[in-house]
Amino acid sequence: MISNKTKRNISGILVIIGAICLLARLFNVCLEPNSGKAWFELFGITVLLGLCIDNFRIFSRRVKKGIKFGNNKTNSYLEN
């Protein structure tokens, strides 16, 4: 089982990589503003970056609350 701290760190790395890719796609749109492909790629990386940021925030909250694995609901069976 992978800890929430590890998942948070992996999500953080993906956010950094996604931000770099977003800058590259913005550069492509600036070079060719009439290109449909450039706009499609920009939209795609924006959605992926948003999902990565959301995952990072979820795991950061769990780590801050002291939840090491899963979430509160999945850890309840350990207490019995």
Side-chain angles (χ1 to χ4, degrees):
M1 190 177 242
I2 299 174
S3 71
N4 286 329
K5 189 180 262 190
T6 303
K7 291 177 186 178
R8 180 201 60 190
N9 293 342
I10 292 170
S11 296
I13 292 169
L14 290 175
V15 167
I16 293 169
I17 293 170
I20 293 168
C21 289
L22 180 67
L23 291 174
R25 297 301 145 228
L26 280 171
F27 184 71
N28 284 346
V29 169
C30 290
L31 289 178
E32 299 180 52
N34 294 329
S35 171
K37 180 183 177 196
W39 284 102
F40 183 75
E41 288 177 349
L42 178 64
F43 173 74
I45 194 62
T46 304
V47 170
L48 289 173
L49 181 59
L51 293 172
C52 289
I53 290 171
D54 187 45
N55 276 340
F56 179 76
R57 291 180 66 216
I58 288 169
F59 292 124
S60 292
R61 279 188 228 123
R62 288 181 186 170
V63 169
K64 188 182 254 186
K65 289 179 183 178
I67 303 170
K68 292 186 179 186
F69 297 98
N71 56 24
N72 280 337
K73 293 177 184 173
T74 58
N75 286 341
S76 62
Y77 72 91
L78 296 174
E79 297 172 1
N80 292 335

